[in-house]
Amino acid sequence: MNRLLWGLVAVLSLAGAAHAETLSLDECLRRAAAGNYGLTVTAHDRRIAAENISLAKSGFLPRLDFQGGYTAQAKPQAFSFAGRETETQDATYGFFNITATQTIYDFGRTSSRTRRASLLQEAVSHSYDAQERDVFLQVVEAYYGILEAKKVLGAADEEIVQRTDHLRVAQNLYEQGVVTRNDLLQAEVKLADSRQRRLAATNLVENRWLFLNYLTGRPLPFRADLEEKDTPASLPPLEAAEEKALANRPELAALARTVEAGEAEVSEARTGYFPEIFAQGSIDYMENSKAREQAIYAATVGLRVNLFDGLATTSRYRQTVENLGKQRDNLRLAREQIRLELATSQNDARVAAERIRTVETAIKQGEENLRINRDRYQAQVGTATDVIDAQTLLTQIRTDYFRAVFDYQVAAARVRKAMGEL
């Protein structure tokens, strides 16, 4: 009955796998761009930065203020003249004030502020693109990580098959009395060890699937068949790749806009030393039965300037100059970091390609080594340890090969990301 149930489960699993969705890397990248949780959070920064532009442009528009209320006094205001007191206002009264103020000229303060906000909005947009490419690289690593883990799992399954067969051979030879029980026990222990490592490989596949689903915004239980492509084309020369990287990387574009925004901030801070010319119109109304004019209409053209603010303007200006210097140094630092990232990823890709060529030959040698040692053991001219060592070596060679293949895929993606093309 147990065998029947397990067989039914296996059949259902195979049927489900036969109809499983096939998922390509490009589809995963599209889903990450649309549904990644981190990118969704970062997208708010672009909208916030856009509102900063509207906030800065408000300096070009007039400001309209209203104030109103109702006042009750214990005694109304009065004055004495020739021994007589005369009230000049009512004890209780309502009032309101409407004022419209328009800046006529502020020596470029508002325009510098607007330009800075616009540049920062562009910088935020480029920063979003940079974070998107970071997420894309994580998707590539997770995608090929799953393929690698599944290949390693397959190698573990093959090792279990080999060690199960070796246990059968050792059992037969032991029953024939030509080997000691030590060979049988050794085969059983090694088979248990292979099964344990298979469990670890299965767990690695599952964990990498969970991470890929998190990156792409899919439900965590989702599974599919991943499309496995051929090895990517050869890498571009370092000089050409570096030229593309410095021209295409969104991080550099973001920092360049930040530097320009810093220059606009310096210009804005410098206007703190200059006056501001403004125009103002107002209506002041105060309810007063003892006054002829209860509403006062006025228009003003004036100049407003700060004479001394405790050197706050000077400190603010120096601060913006230092901040601009820091931003320029950050831009130079980012260029050098990108050069380092590109050179490192290209080196890793070249080494992985060489590992692939080396291990491809070793796989055939490992298979032949296992066959020879298995035949020698069955002919009683070799030991069980030789067979187990050959099985372990073949599994390690296959694992190294799979890791080299997918390390190359990931390194090639890192090169594309460093060039700003991922």
Side-chain angles (χ1 to χ4, degrees):
M1 180 62 69
N2 287 336
R3 290 180 180 178
L4 179 62
L5 290 176
W6 280 112
L8 181 60
V9 170
V11 170
L12 292 175
S13 299
L14 291 174
H19 296 86
E21 177 183 350
T22 300
L23 195 62
S24 68
L25 177 59
D26 291 338
E27 176 63 20
C28 289
L29 295 176
R30 284 193 294 270
R31 287 189 172 273
N36 181 264
Y37 302 109
L39 293 179
T40 301
V41 173
T42 306
H44 291 286
D45 293 337
R46 294 192 294 185
R47 293 188 284 271
I48 293 171
E51 292 303 323
N52 285 335
I53 298 177
S54 300
L55 182 63
K57 286 182 177 179
S58 65
F60 292 117
L61 302 176
R63 177 186 175 94
L64 186 64
D65 295 296
F66 173 83
Q67 180 181 356
Y70 190 83
T71 302
Q73 304 178 102
K75 291 184 178 181
Q77 188 180 39
F79 70 91
S80 298
F81 179 75
R84 298 180 58 186
E85 291 186 351
T86 304
E87 295 180 352
T88 59
Q89 61 179 189
D90 298 329
T92 58
Y93 60 89
F95 70 93
F96 71 86
N97 169 267
I98 300 177
T99 303
T101 305
Q102 173 66 59
T103 300
I104 299 176
Y105 187 64
D106 59 3
F107 292 87
R109 181 180 307 152
T110 301
S111 58
S112 296
R113 190 176 298 155
T114 302
R115 180 170 177 269
R116 176 174 177 266
S118 179
L119 290 168
L120 288 178
Q121 195 269 344
E122 293 182 32
V124 168
S125 181
H126 288 302
S127 296
Y128 178 88
D129 294 338
Q131 182 173 344
E132 186 178 57
R133 279 154 179 76
D134 288 338
V135 170
F136 286 171
L137 182 58
Q138 289 180 311
V139 170
V140 171
E141 291 173 344
Y143 186 92
Y144 286 120
I146 292 173
L147 290 175
E148 175 193 329
K150 290 178 71 175
K151 293 289 187 180
V152 172
L153 178 60
D157 288 335
E158 180 63 24
E159 185 180 74
I160 289 176
V161 171
Q162 293 169 359
R163 290 189 170 171
T164 301
D165 183 66
H166 174 66
L167 176 60
R168 180 186 60 79
V169 172
Q171 179 73 38
N172 291 336
L173 294 177
Y174 173 71
E175 291 175 355
Q176 295 172 16
V178 296
V179 298
T180 65
R181 181 170 174 75
N182 181 65
D183 284 7
L184 183 61
L185 294 175
Q186 185 184 44
E188 291 174 345
V189 170
K190 289 299 182 180
L191 178 58
D193 179 65
S194 296
R195 287 171 174 165
Q196 179 180 348
R197 284 190 283 111
R198 186 193 184 281
L199 289 174
T202 303
N203 184 58
L204 183 60
V205 173
E206 289 300 309
N207 286 342
R208 288 181 174 176
W209 260 114
L210 293 175
F211 188 52
L212 180 62
N213 289 338
Y214 162 76
L215 291 173
T216 55
R218 283 184 177 270
L220 294 181
F222 173 79
R223 298 292 182 271
D225 292 330
L226 298 185
E227 181 182 304
E228 185 175 347
K229 292 186 177 181
D230 296 334
T231 302
S234 59
L235 302 175
L238 181 59
E239 295 76 11
E242 183 176 301
E243 183 179 351
K244 287 185 177 181
L246 296 179
N248 297 338
R249 284 294 288 266
E251 294 93 332
L252 295 182
L255 288 172
R257 295 296 179 273
T258 303
V259 169
E260 294 179 35
E263 294 170 349
E265 186 180 21
V266 171
S267 299
E268 178 189 348
R270 191 182 296 116
T271 61
Y273 295 109
F274 303 119
E276 177 183 310
I277 301 174
F278 68 93
Q280 187 179 81
S282 63
I283 302 174
D284 288 285
Y285 171 81
M286 185 175 70
E287 184 181 7
N288 190 351
S289 60
K290 299 177 174 56
R292 186 183 64 183
E293 297 292 340
Q294 298 186 41
I296 305 297
Y297 300 86
T300 303
V301 175
L303 182 142
R304 185 164 42 229
V305 61
N306 174 260
L307 298 178
F308 184 71
D309 60 359
L311 300 179
T313 299
T314 300
S315 297
R316 191 177 300 114
Y317 174 73
R318 291 174 179 171
Q319 187 180 52
T320 58
V321 171
E322 288 296 325
N323 189 47
L324 176 59
K326 176 183 176 181
Q327 291 161 353
R328 286 172 173 165
D329 288 339
N330 276 336
L331 180 57
R332 285 191 288 268
L333 174 62
R335 288 196 181 103
E336 295 307 314
Q337 288 175 333
I338 286 173
R339 288 189 177 99
L340 175 62
E341 177 186 347
L342 178 61
T344 302
S345 58
Q346 284 197 318
N347 286 340
D348 290 343
R350 280 193 292 267
V351 170
E354 186 63 31
R355 285 166 53 203
I356 292 172
R357 289 190 291 270
T358 302
V359 181
E360 277 178 337
T361 305
I363 289 178
K364 297 178 181 178
Q365 296 170 342
E367 291 173 346
E368 181 65 13
N369 178 57
L370 176 59
R371 185 190 65 79
I372 292 173
N373 281 283
R374 186 186 296 120
D375 292 344
R376 285 170 55 84
Y377 180 66
Q378 292 179 354
Q380 292 301 296
V381 293
T383 66
T385 302
D386 294 335
V387 176
I388 291 173
D389 289 345
Q391 291 172 344
T392 302
L393 179 61
L394 180 57
T395 301
Q396 185 60 51
I397 293 172
R398 286 173 173 168
T399 301
D400 290 343
Y401 174 74
F402 299 140
R403 284 176 178 163
V405 169
F406 295 116
D407 283 350
Y408 183 85
Q409 298 276 8
V410 172
R414 287 170 50 207
V415 172
R416 291 175 55 203
K417 189 255 184 184
M419 294 168 56
E421 295 181 349
L422 183 61

